[in-house]
Amino acid sequence: MAFGDIVNGLLTLRERMSWEASLARNAREYSKGVDLVREGDRPAALRIVLSGWAQKYKQLPDGRRQILAVVLPGQLCDLDLFTVARADHSIAAVRRLSIAEINRAEAQRLFDLCPNLAPALSLAEIVGASVQREWTINVGQRNALERVAQLMCEIYVRQHGVPLVGGGACDFLLTQGQMAEATGLTQVHVNRIVQQLRLRCAVQLQNLRLEIPDFAQLAALASFNANYLHLGEVQALAERASPLFSPEVVSRRDYAGGDRCP
Amino acid sequence: MAFGDIVNGLLTLRERMSWEASLARNAREYSKGVDLVREGDRPAALRIVLSGWAQKYKQLPDGRRQILAVVLPGQLCDLDLFTVARADHSIAAVRRLSIAEINRAEAQRLFDLCPNLAPALSLAEIVGASVQREWTINVGQRNALERVAQLMCEIYVRQHGVPLVGGGACDFLLTQGQMAEATGLTQVHVNRIVQQLRLRCAVQLQNLRLEIPDFAQLAALASFNANYLHLGEVQALAERASPLFSPEVVSRRDYAGGDRCP
DNA sequence: CGCGACGTTGACCTACCTCAATTGGCGTGG
DNA sequence: CCACGCCAATTGAGGTAGGTCAACGTCGCG
């Protein structure tokens, strides 16, 4: 099941209809690089990515920037911003981005209407925190090759919902400059590493697509271990909550067209 | 108010008594370096540090280790482990550690008994996630001097609950080797940086104590900004929930003696 | 007194950074 | 349809922050 389906998987059909109607009603567009939330803002909305990718980031006073997370279609940007008085990080569009912004009042109505919604979002937050920890060890301990390989593995698995066996492809909307900001490297060095990965793993990275002919090999280079994504539990929880709706039925594809198909 | 008081500040007197009785009843001791939770374990308890420090960490297959967070007295180790089937990181004792381990059944009773408890723990989790993001930018973007200075500032502020004006001191239980694992540096280099900080800021670091004669200077070196600790909100929320119990009254000192006073 | 844990020091090395220039694709306007 | 400009990727040369390895000092404790 796709990572972005956490929410959908946990809802009943009725709940899911309210939820998606609300998403559609509150859709907004942003173009590349534009901030949706700036550190220090008073957060006012619940944001769910519809298509394109968002990035969470923080900046030091002199401009150095760290991308903290990427938010894929179907995912929540920030639940914690709903609890907290001031945003502690910024959120921006990776590329052209379509996103639903649900204000407090409407969110409250939705929570009342859909009792399965809050636990679903809460699980998503917990997985998000786990991913954040993995990113910390990524920039803290892995070398450049491992960091870039790890990023590729994660992005692939989060989109497909299962660690790849053999080869496959997925969307990849980050520029090499953005990959550098995510891995704590420079753009130049990321470029050299990507070239190495092309040689060593035959990885293709172009036109906003990532092709991985041999996932096991790439994962080995990165010491990638998908446990931190908690895929099994997400799936189990989803099935327990609404056994009628298999992941295939409530596919992310319904409303997430991706950046390349406008 | 001290960071560890989040929980206490949010509880009424009656709730607080149940809570602390439960803590006392379930206390356990660990000696330095021992794991309380290992990545992959099925988590079975809610853990609250009573005295000493705990560390969350992850390890790569070849042994490289990243400390993800330090858990100070009065703080919760992991709420998310309560939701998730398998721990995605390990937890160990920084030094001799006294900790309360509350099993699922008892935790459930406590949640029923203390309606303010769940929101309190949840706020603590949210702040924890924010700290994790700051650590990511710390290892990803700051240089060695900034990283070590930032770590010192954070540890100080989290213990005292306010950014220091002028000079002051606090417990500091990490060895230089552990500081290295927390900052993504080597022990040797941390040692050299600490020496630099001694020269440039007159920082003292010995006998498990950290003395900071000029906090502003240290904070400037680190580009430290305490916003990510959400101190104001923690305080506000605490006061709203139980206005009768000021932070001074419900002090952490009640049960958290620190490592140095056994 | 001897051992283990921690801090300290020196010499040398390298992974990654910096700066700067070039290339190629693609959308836009003339 | 072509020219221009922008953005992203690429390449090269040279520099440095921090790593590695190995030894030594020091303190506390059994």
Side-chain angles (χ1 to χ4, degrees):
Chain A
M1 103 182 264
F3 188 89
D5 292 332
I6 294 181
V7 167
N8 290 328
L10 283 172
L11 302 185
T12 64
L13 179 57
R14 180 184 303 264
E15 286 174 339
R16 194 164 162 263
M17 287 174 64
S18 309
W19 173 246
E20 299 218 337
S22 183
L23 291 186
R25 202 164 45 242
N26 292 287
R28 275 200 62 178
E29 299 274 327
Y30 289 91
S31 48
K32 171 168 190 168
V34 173
D35 283 331
L36 326 197
V37 176
R38 235 180 285 256
E39 186 175 348
D41 280 359
R42 291 189 179 280
L46 210 59
R47 283 158 224 271
I48 295 91
V49 173
L50 301 178
S51 71
W53 294 6
Q55 54 173 192
K56 304 189 194 186
Y57 72 92
K58 287 192 99 159
Q59 235 169 353
L60 295 178
D62 66 358
R64 280 172 287 174
R65 175 185 293 208
Q66 175 72 40
I67 295 182
L68 301 164
V70 299
V71 190
L72 305 184
Q75 280 191 279
L76 190 66
C77 275
D78 261 307
L79 183 56
D80 51 350
L81 288 191
F82 225 58
T83 304
V84 124
R86 299 276 180 189
D88 53 62
H89 61 276
S90 306
I91 304 179
V94 169
R95 302 182 61 84
R96 171 184 278 287
L97 172 71
S98 169
I99 200 164
E101 300 186 349
I102 301 178
N103 63 35
R104 283 192 127 82
E106 177 146 7
Q108 197 53 60
R109 267 200 311 110
L110 274 171
F111 284 129
D112 295 342
L113 214 62
C114 311
N116 285 320
L117 186 56
L121 299 186
S122 161
L123 176 62
E125 275 295 293
I126 285 170
V127 173
S130 174
V131 172
Q132 191 67 61
R133 286 188 284 268
E134 186 70 23
W135 282 46
T136 306
I137 187 174
N138 203 34
V139 293
Q141 300 297 327
R142 280 192 249 251
N143 65 30
L145 190 77
E146 296 170 314
R147 287 185 216 180
V148 173
Q150 157 82 25
L151 177 63
M152 289 176 171
C153 289
E154 176 180 317
I155 293 292
Y156 181 89
V157 174
R158 283 174 56 191
Q159 283 183 68
H160 284 75
V162 285
L164 175 56
V165 181
C170 66
D171 291 344
F172 198 94
L173 307 190
L174 300 175
T175 65
Q176 291 184 2
Q178 289 166 328
M179 292 171 71
E181 292 177 337
T183 52
L185 302 167
T186 56
Q187 193 256 35
V188 169
H189 202 58
V190 165
N191 179 268
R192 289 178 172 135
I193 296 297
V194 167
Q195 291 177 49
Q196 265 195 56
L197 285 172
R198 275 202 265 267
L199 289 175
R200 297 174 60 166
C201 296
V203 159
Q204 297 287 318
L205 183 59
Q206 52 188 295
N207 293 119
L208 310 180
R209 291 288 289 177
L210 169 67
E211 283 177 44
I212 305 175
D214 182 350
F215 188 83
Q217 197 187 357
L218 186 64
L221 277 185
S223 303
F224 179 77
N225 176 335
N227 290 351
Y228 73 98
L229 294 172
H230 293 286
L231 296 172
E233 298 144 59
V234 167
Q235 190 153 28
L237 190 52
E239 282 166 1
R240 200 185 326 144
S242 63
L244 290 179
F245 295 91
S246 77
E248 292 69 35
V249 176
V250 292
S251 160
R252 174 176 55 86
R253 232 165 292 134
D254 294 353
Y255 57 86
D259 201 50
R260 284 156 41 265
C261 331
Chain B
M1 100 181 265
F3 188 89
D5 293 332
I6 294 182
V7 167
N8 290 326
L10 282 171
L11 303 184
T12 64
L13 179 56
R14 178 183 305 263
E15 286 174 339
R16 196 163 161 264
M17 287 173 64
S18 310
W19 173 245
E20 300 217 337
S22 183
L23 292 186
R25 202 164 47 243
N26 293 285
R28 276 200 62 179
E29 298 276 325
Y30 289 92
S31 49
K32 172 167 189 168
V34 173
D35 283 331
L36 326 198
V37 176
R38 235 181 285 259
E39 185 174 349
D41 281 358
R42 290 190 179 282
L46 209 58
R47 284 159 224 270
I48 295 90
V49 173
L50 300 178
S51 72
W53 295 5
Q55 55 173 191
K56 305 190 194 183
Y57 71 92
K58 287 193 100 160
Q59 234 168 354
L60 294 178
D62 66 359
R64 281 173 287 175
R65 174 185 292 208
Q66 176 72 39
I67 296 182
L68 301 164
V70 299
V71 190
L72 305 184
Q75 281 192 278
L76 190 66
C77 275
D78 260 308
L79 184 55
D80 51 350
L81 288 191
F82 226 58
T83 304
V84 125
R86 298 276 181 190
D88 54 62
H89 61 276
S90 306
I91 304 180
V94 169
R95 301 182 63 82
R96 172 185 278 287
L97 173 70
S98 168
I99 200 163
E101 301 186 349
I102 301 177
N103 64 35
R104 283 192 127 81
E106 177 147 7
Q108 198 54 60
R109 268 200 309 110
L110 274 172
F111 283 130
D112 295 341
L113 214 61
C114 310
N116 286 319
L117 186 57
L121 300 186
S122 161
L123 176 61
E125 275 295 294
I126 286 170
V127 173
S130 175
V131 172
Q132 192 67 61
R133 287 188 284 268
E134 185 71 23
W135 281 46
T136 306
I137 186 174
N138 203 34
V139 293
Q141 299 297 326
R142 281 191 249 251
N143 64 31
L145 189 78
E146 295 170 315
R147 288 185 215 181
V148 173
Q150 158 82 24
L151 177 62
M152 289 176 170
C153 288
E154 177 181 315
I155 294 293
Y156 181 89
V157 173
R158 283 174 55 189
Q159 283 184 67
H160 284 75
V162 285
L164 175 55
V165 182
C170 66
D171 290 344
F172 198 93
L173 307 190
L174 300 175
T175 65
Q176 291 184 2
Q178 290 167 327
M179 291 171 71
E181 291 176 337
T183 52
L185 301 167
T186 57
Q187 194 254 35
V188 170
H189 202 59
V190 165
N191 179 269
R192 289 178 171 135
I193 296 296
V194 167
Q195 291 177 49
Q196 264 196 56
L197 285 172
R198 276 203 264 268
L199 289 175
R200 296 175 61 165
C201 295
V203 160
Q204 297 286 319
L205 184 58
Q206 52 189 295
N207 293 119
L208 310 180
R209 290 287 289 177
L210 169 66
E211 283 177 45
I212 305 174
D214 182 348
F215 187 83
Q217 197 187 356
L218 186 64
L221 278 184
S223 303
F224 179 77
N225 177 336
N227 290 350
Y228 73 97
L229 295 172
H230 294 287
L231 295 173
E233 297 144 60
V234 167
Q235 191 154 28
L237 191 50
E239 283 165 1
R240 202 184 325 145
S242 64
L244 290 179
F245 295 90
S246 76
E248 291 70 34
V249 176
V250 292
S251 159
R252 172 176 55 87
R253 233 166 290 135
D254 294 354
Y255 59 85
D259 200 50
R260 283 157 40 264
C261 332

